[in-house]
Amino acid sequence: MEVVRKRVVLVMLFLLLGCAATLAQSGEGKLAGRILDADTGEPLIGANVVLLNTDQGAATDIDGNYFILNIRPGNYDVRFSYVGYSSKTIQNVRIVAGITYELNEALTSGIELDEVIVTSEKLFEENATNTVKVVDSEQISKLPVRGVTNVAALQSGVVIQEGNGGVDGNAQINVRGGRSSEVLYIIDGVPQNNILNSQTGAQVSDNSIEQLTFQVGGYEAKYGQAQSGIINVTTKSGSAKYNIFAEAVTSEFTDDYGYSLYSANISGPIIPGIDKHTIFLAAERGWFLDANPPAISLELPTINTTYDHRPNNNAGIWRLTARTSHYMGDFTLRLGANVNQNNGRLYIHSYLKNDSDFFPEFNRNNYSFSAKISQTISNSSYWNLTAGFRRYYFDQFDPHFGDNLSLWGDSTYFANQLGVTLFASGQRVFYDDNGIFFDYGRVNNLYSKNENDNFTLDASFTSQIGNHLMEFGGGGIYTLVRNYQINPISPVLYDETLTETEKYEALQPTVYGYDIFGKEKTTLDDGEFAPKNPIQAYAFIQDRMELEDFVLNIGVRLDYFDTKEDVLLNPALPYAGGSDPNEFDPGDFVVKDPEVEISPRIGIGFPVTASTVFHAQYGRFIQQPALTDLYNGPFDLLQFQQFAPQYVRDGTIGSEETTQYEVGFRQLLGDNAALNITMFYKNIKGLVNRKTSFYQQRVNGEISTFIAPANSDFGTTKGFAFSLDVMRLSYISFSAQYTFSIAEGTGSSTNSSQTAVFRNQDNEAPKVIAPLDFDQRHTATVNIDFFVPKGSLGLLEMLNANLLISMASGRPYTPLDYFDILSGNNGGPSTTGYVNSRFTPGTFRMDLKVEKSFPIGDNLLISPYIWIENLLDADNVIQVWRSTGDPYTTGFLLTQDGQNNIENRGEGYEQDYISRERDPDNFGIPRQIRLGLKVNFGGI
């Protein structure tokens, strides 16, 4: 297998060097069309086409055709000119990565005529062979939502749970029935997903986004490591003139949630008067008193307290973006940085009454840097080469003790500094006298941190050969992964007969990339404590054939993934490979084989009539599993020797696979409306979940069990998506999105089978096809925008009102016969129906943003606004107690056991129990009113 690995690596290196060229995941756009004489219809030969404020342009050939390649996504003004003819400028031409914008024009002869200026308004990307949603900076600025994922969630095919991600906008979404980890986030060409858990900590200020492109249902061969969708963010660049923008928005005067967000950016030439070298700088700072405000009040009658916000749930964020562009003849160099820092708290409802000071604190930081060089070899060929570095860091800790783990259970420190009496060192505080809420001093017994560094190198070469736009390229990602998790509150940490090292060995932390204490980083030479070092590589080739009435996009992708992890030689006989049948030794392990996957992709598009475009897409999509389910530290496998069944990562999991099919059509309705209907089907297999495995310590020995992650889940998603977009009818534009989908499978997450395999008598998870937890059958959004342009309607000029209406059916849950908050799933609640056979209530919400702009002089624009989320203050139910289907009560207090507890423990027990049942996580968000001000000083 080592020979195979070396050969594959050599092939990858050859492809990378042979490409001599874009960040394969970033993508550039193309502009093409034909220029004719307006009177005769004859082609104009040698007419000039120029993207204003850039060095890019083209001249028409003998048939009047032209094309411009390697255009960075964004909006451009395009100027057409020809000797003896009036020139014409088309404004706001939207260029999208991987899609050809077809712009045909006719020029009128006569040099005395004034230049014609018109605005480009396209309702859909007619040359796209898959579902592509594009939102530009102007649209984002008008919407009554913030955050990349919240904007993406407005598109058809996307499911988001209300309130998810809190006020900072870093929500998780499900796309066409896929898990939230199946969406790839790319910012300026650099993938942002954390390889350890497949999530992302990256965010960009709304004011820094030039264009957001969202692909669902399939994508070109250049994109990989995503089974459901790709969100591609292009940030703004500098321009020839200086522009300064600032924004402040706050709820300090309107509610008690303490929302405050401030942002500013500046752009322009690095050296005044030289537009070949430009810069864009942006900074955003947020403070939130409550990072996830509750829709219901938090009532605690036993202490005569009612909260309308979650106490001690504050958060703060920093978002920084920097980008420079350098045009040097045929070469272009772009340097970029995107930095995110997020500090917050984790709300634990059982701590609310007495212990909110001890809500765990966390830091989530993401640092992304890129350098991209591009050369236009000719008007038909170019190459790009991108290098990137990204660091993700997360830690979670108690706010009183931080990483000083020896204090977490130190009874002396608790008594002297906190006034709390522990039974003994290494013990924790338990419930108060009523027995429902934890008393003051309870500490969440988990300290964790992880870090991964990604070094990326990506290259591609693109050439227009006749009607074929050929691309080939490849890339590689070299990663260092560090992880540390420990439960530090234990009597063993205070056993003076042990050395410090022996104490931590007894605690058996999950550790790699750090020393045993979690203090110092280790190197690749540090043996069993070394960081993990996975390697990814890929290569692709694709051809986009564009004829007058037909587009064929066909490609193939090769993915290589090597975890470089030592895994068990035989999990069924874990001790049989070495010399010691009672302990692990090197003979029990083998290096995990690398994976090589080939994924074909094909998309077609063609016009059925002059106003109807049909498209179809097929593709196979591979994604590596979250490595937290694969990697082990030196102590993790010791659980084989503990009571069964224990959770053990046996190293057998591999990549997950989705096959997607999509057909649809786009229909123009007159000059200002378009209808899109798409049908989709996904076949998903090899998803990771928990599964029972069997092993023997020696051949013919006693059979024991352990629980391990396995590629055991499968599922299907099918449905259709509908959208209707209407451009300006007088002062109103309108967009409606609706999706019907059925998402079914055997498991909704990587651990959704944990309870079943632990509790069932046979320790097996039932493999039944059932609705997934995020099976939201009906999802709809309606966005109505009212805008009065300058010079219209008197005092109402430059008024913008944007109303967003969101509707969704409920999500499924499995009903239980009873449920006691204190015991949870332990001790015996039984299901009373099929898995996920009942549904929560549907949700309805309206958001509004009203903005009025006031121009002062030629360069200054001031825009105050009001932004209201959940305009009608609806208490949307997003979760229910599974024993009753009610968000307010489990029904336990009405049972005989509940009545006995009330009789024995008194009224305080009953009141606190009702307060515990009143969980804010069962509801969406409250009405939130924020006041904002924008100041734009441009064209300097």
Side-chain angles (χ1 to χ4, degrees):
M1 198 63 223
E2 185 65 25
V3 174
V4 173
R5 179 188 289 110
K6 291 180 178 178
R7 287 178 178 175
V8 172
V9 172
L10 287 173
V11 170
M12 290 294 183
L13 290 173
F14 173 78
L15 285 168
L16 281 169
L17 296 174
C19 292
T22 184
L23 176 62
Q25 306 237 46
S26 62
E28 290 75 32
K30 173 185 171 185
L31 177 68
R34 197 179 187 202
I35 304 177
L36 304 176
D37 185 300
D39 297 322
T40 67
E42 294 295 318
L44 297 181
I45 304 171
N48 292 315
V49 185
V50 176
L51 271 64
L52 298 181
N53 299 316
T54 76
D55 288 339
Q56 295 178 280
T60 56
D61 60 17
I62 59 174
D63 296 315
N65 295 315
Y66 73 93
F67 61 82
I68 305 174
L69 304 177
N70 199 21
I71 306 174
R72 190 171 189 264
N75 288 2
Y76 296 86
D77 293 345
V78 182
R79 189 172 187 267
F80 299 92
S81 62
Y82 192 63
V83 176
Y85 286 72
S86 63
S87 60
K88 179 183 285 189
T89 298
I90 310 299
Q91 297 178 328
N92 292 325
V93 174
R94 186 169 68 185
I95 301 298
V96 179
I99 296 176
T100 298
Y101 190 109
E102 187 173 338
L103 186 58
N104 302 312
E105 291 297 333
L107 300 183
T108 302
S109 61
I111 58 175
E112 300 298 329
L113 297 175
D114 294 332
E115 180 175 2
V116 179
I117 300 177
V118 297
T119 300
S120 172
E121 292 184 331
K122 284 203 173 185
L123 289 156
F124 55 74
E125 317 304 327
E126 67 267 24
N127 286 322
T129 59
N130 64 328
T131 298
V132 180
K133 305 290 186 178
V134 183
V135 188
D136 58 33
S137 58
E138 182 179 358
Q139 293 171 299
I140 292 172
S141 68
K142 294 178 179 180
L143 290 170
V145 297
R146 293 188 84 104
V148 168
T149 50
N150 286 326
V151 173
L154 302 180
Q155 313 308 315
S156 56
V158 183
V159 167
I160 186 172
Q161 191 166 67
E162 182 176 317
N164 182 271
V167 296
D168 73 343
N170 195 15
Q172 295 183 1
I173 60 176
N174 302 98
V175 178
R176 290 188 178 177
R179 296 177 179 178
S180 63
S181 59
E182 296 176 9
V183 180
L184 175 65
Y185 297 85
I186 302 171
I187 298 177
D188 289 326
V190 179
Q192 300 296 318
N193 292 48
N194 175 10
I195 197 171
L196 196 61
N197 60 18
S198 300
Q199 302 294 338
T200 180
Q203 276 286 322
V204 179
S205 167
D206 284 15
N207 299 321
S208 298
I209 299 174
E210 176 65 32
Q211 185 183 97
L212 185 152
T213 305
F214 187 26
Q215 299 188 60
V216 296
Y219 11 92
E220 296 174 316
K222 72 171 73 175
Y223 296 104
Q225 294 302 325
Q227 292 173 268
S228 291
I230 293 176
I231 296 177
N232 200 335
V233 176
T234 302
T235 59
K236 294 178 179 178
S237 298
S239 58
K241 294 185 178 181
Y242 290 104
N243 293 277
I244 300 173
F245 175 87
E247 180 183 18
V249 56
T250 183
S251 69
E252 291 291 339
F253 310 105
T254 54
D255 59 40
D256 295 325
Y257 307 128
Y259 182 101
S260 295
L261 189 71
Y262 307 93
S263 61
N265 59 56
I266 182 171
S267 63
I270 296 175
I271 302 174
I274 300 178
D275 61 2
K276 303 295 184 184
H277 304 278
T278 62
I279 190 170
F280 175 84
L281 298 173
E284 185 168 83
R285 176 63 165 146
W287 293 274
F288 315 116
L289 178 64
D290 185 353
N292 191 13
I296 61 171
S297 60
L298 307 179
E299 299 174 359
L300 298 164
T302 56
I303 57 172
N304 296 316
T305 300
T306 298
Y307 295 106
D308 60 2
H309 66 280
R310 303 180 199 230
N312 291 308
N313 194 43
N314 52 289
I317 60 169
W318 273 105
R319 297 182 183 129
L320 307 173
T321 299
R323 182 153 304 280
T324 65
S325 301
H326 310 271
Y327 302 95
M328 302 166 290
D330 294 337
F331 289 88
T332 301
L333 173 65
R334 290 190 173 94
L335 305 175
N338 185 62
V339 174
N340 292 257
Q341 295 180 337
N342 186 353
N343 171 265
R345 306 287 288 272
L346 298 176
Y347 178 82
I348 300 176
H349 192 46
S350 58
Y351 289 14
L352 172 66
K353 178 183 173 183
N354 310 300
D355 200 45
S356 64
D357 283 349
F358 287 81
F359 286 163
E361 188 173 346
F362 70 86
N363 292 300
R364 183 186 294 114
N365 302 330
N366 195 82
Y367 308 89
S368 179
F369 306 92
S370 64
K372 176 178 178 180
I373 187 167
S374 174
Q375 183 190 17
T376 301
I377 301 172
S378 67
N379 66 336
S380 61
S381 300
Y382 67 92
W383 60 262
N384 293 304
L385 179 66
T386 301
F389 170 77
R390 185 184 63 83
R391 169 170 290 176
Y392 173 88
Y393 176 82
F394 175 86
D395 65 352
Q396 177 184 325
F397 51 91
D398 183 89
H400 294 270
F401 312 117
D403 62 355
N404 192 344
L405 303 184
S406 63
L407 296 181
W408 284 49
D410 187 331
S411 60
T412 301
Y413 182 90
F414 267 75
N416 294 338
Q417 301 298 322
L418 302 173
V420 175
T421 300
L422 297 180
F423 179 75
S425 289
Q427 303 293 327
R428 287 198 287 171
V429 170
F430 289 96
Y431 295 112
D432 65 12
D433 292 340
N434 291 331
I436 304 299
F437 287 96
F438 286 108
D439 213 341
Y440 179 78
R442 175 74 173 191
V443 176
N444 184 56
N445 190 20
L446 174 64
Y447 173 79
S448 70
K449 64 179 180 179
N450 64 80
E451 177 180 288
N452 60 77
D453 293 343
N454 294 77
F455 302 87
T456 63
L457 181 65
D458 301 84
S460 73
F461 179 84
T462 304
S463 184
Q464 184 80 45
I465 305 173
N467 293 317
H468 298 264
L469 184 64
M470 300 293 299
E471 293 184 73
F472 66 93
I477 302 177
Y478 176 91
T479 306
L480 292 176
V481 181
R482 306 177 191 276
N483 190 22
Y484 188 81
Q485 295 186 50
I486 192 171
N487 307 119
I489 303 177
S490 171
V492 73
L493 202 60
Y494 306 94
D495 187 344
E496 298 302 327
T497 66
L498 301 177
T499 67
E500 286 300 302
T501 299
E502 289 172 336
K503 293 176 183 178
Y504 279 80
E505 287 176 344
L507 291 175
Q508 297 183 3
T510 292
V511 53
Y512 41 88
Y514 298 100
D515 63 19
I516 193 171
F517 308 108
K519 297 290 187 181
E520 302 294 332
K521 293 182 182 180
T522 58
T523 70
L524 292 174
D525 298 324
D526 285 326
E528 60 184 1
F529 290 95
K532 305 300 182 180
N533 182 214
I535 293 177
Q536 298 168 264
Y538 61 87
F540 73 92
I541 183 169
Q542 65 185 39
D543 175 21
R544 189 159 78 239
M545 182 174 65
E546 298 174 321
L547 303 177
E548 185 175 347
D549 57 356
F550 183 77
V551 177
L552 174 64
N553 198 336
I554 187 168
V556 65
R557 177 184 179 88
L558 183 148
D559 281 286
Y560 170 87
F561 181 53
D562 188 0
T563 62
K564 302 171 68 175
E565 173 72 344
D566 290 334
V567 298
L568 289 171
L569 177 65
N570 183 0
L573 290 166
Y575 301 97
S579 58
D580 188 341
N582 299 310
E583 299 288 343
F584 287 117
D585 54 44
D588 295 318
F589 298 93
V590 64
V591 178
K592 185 177 176 63
D593 291 338
E595 294 183 69
V596 179
E597 298 283 353
I598 296 177
S599 305
R601 315 278 173 84
I602 183 171
I604 60 174
F606 59 87
V608 179
T609 67
S611 58
T612 304
V613 178
F614 172 86
H615 80 274
Q617 191 275 338
Y618 157 81
R620 180 176 186 259
F621 304 91
I622 297 297
Q623 185 173 346
Q624 69 194 47
L627 296 186
T628 187
D629 290 318
L630 188 145
Y631 282 144
N632 283 307
F635 307 106
D636 293 326
L637 290 179
L638 297 180
Q639 297 184 59
F640 266 110
Q641 301 171 349
Q642 299 175 4
F643 69 91
Q646 275 289 345
Y647 174 68
V648 175
R649 292 176 286 269
D650 62 7
T652 60
I653 59 174
S655 291
E656 303 168 327
E657 177 184 348
T658 295
T659 303
Q660 301 196 48
Y661 307 86
E662 174 184 304
V663 294
F665 72 90
R666 311 175 185 99
Q667 173 72 53
L668 287 175
L669 305 174
D671 296 330
N672 59 359
L675 173 69
N676 287 265
I677 297 179
T678 300
M679 293 174 287
F680 56 88
Y681 176 84
K682 293 171 61 175
N683 182 42
I684 311 161
K685 63 182 182 179
L687 294 178
V688 174
N689 206 336
R690 305 289 169 87
K691 180 183 178 181
T692 297
S693 296
F694 300 89
Y695 78 97
Q696 296 170 293
Q697 190 158 343
R698 54 182 55 84
V699 177
N700 298 323
E702 180 183 358
I703 296 177
S704 300
T705 62
F706 66 94
I707 300 171
N711 295 102
S712 57
D713 276 347
F714 55 90
T716 60
T717 300
K718 48 188 174 290
F720 70 88
F722 159 94
S723 68
L724 175 64
D725 297 288
V726 180
M727 287 195 299
R728 296 280 163 208
L729 287 175
S730 184
Y731 303 107
I732 295 176
S733 61
F734 170 90
S735 176
Q737 313 276 335
Y738 169 76
T739 304
F740 171 79
S741 69
I742 299 175
E744 297 178 322
T746 56
S748 300
S749 67
T750 58
N751 61 2
S752 59
S753 296
Q754 174 69 34
T755 300
V757 297
F758 190 82
R759 283 188 49 190
N760 288 354
Q761 291 184 354
D762 60 0
N763 297 125
E764 292 284 356
K767 286 302 173 188
V768 295
I769 298 293
L772 299 174
D773 291 349
F774 38 83
D775 178 32
Q776 191 168 285
R777 299 291 170 94
H778 305 276
T779 307
T781 61
V782 177
N783 186 233
I784 303 170
D785 187 74
F786 175 82
F787 177 70
V788 181
K790 188 175 182 179
S792 298
L793 297 185
L795 293 176
L796 294 180
E797 70 168 346
M798 302 189 75
L799 173 70
N800 181 236
N802 191 285
L803 177 66
L804 176 64
I805 304 171
S806 305
M807 299 162 282
S809 59
R811 297 192 178 193
Y813 67 94
T814 303
L816 301 177
D817 56 353
Y818 79 95
F819 187 83
D820 179 8
I821 288 176
L822 297 183
S823 61
N825 288 324
N826 299 319
S830 299
T831 59
T832 60
Y834 195 70
V835 175
N836 279 350
S837 58
R838 295 184 185 173
F839 287 81
T840 63
T843 61
F844 179 88
R845 176 174 141 193
M846 298 175 67
D847 302 318
L848 176 67
K849 187 177 183 180
V850 180
E851 181 176 322
K852 179 73 166 70
S853 296
F854 300 91
I856 300 176
D858 296 330
N859 303 105
L860 181 61
L861 188 68
I862 298 178
S863 305
Y865 65 86
I866 183 172
W867 170 25
I868 306 174
E869 288 190 295
N870 194 3
L871 179 67
L872 303 181
D873 199 21
D875 292 342
N876 284 319
V877 176
I878 59 176
Q879 292 181 154
V880 296
W881 296 109
R882 294 191 295 155
S883 52
T884 61
D886 190 302
Y888 289 102
T889 179
T890 63
F892 176 75
L893 293 181
L894 300 178
T895 67
Q896 187 60 53
D897 288 342
Q899 291 294 307
N900 291 340
N901 288 345
I902 293 173
E903 182 177 350
N904 294 331
R905 301 185 184 183
E907 182 182 8
Y909 167 87
E910 180 181 17
Q911 290 179 333
D912 273 0
Y913 200 100
I914 293 173
S915 296
R916 273 286 299 271
E917 289 178 315
R918 194 178 172 87
D919 191 333
D921 288 340
N922 289 347
F923 298 86
I925 66 171
R927 178 165 54 211
Q928 298 170 74
I929 303 173
R930 299 159 186 164
L931 304 177
L933 179 68
K934 299 177 183 177
V935 178
N936 198 339
F937 194 48
I940 308 170

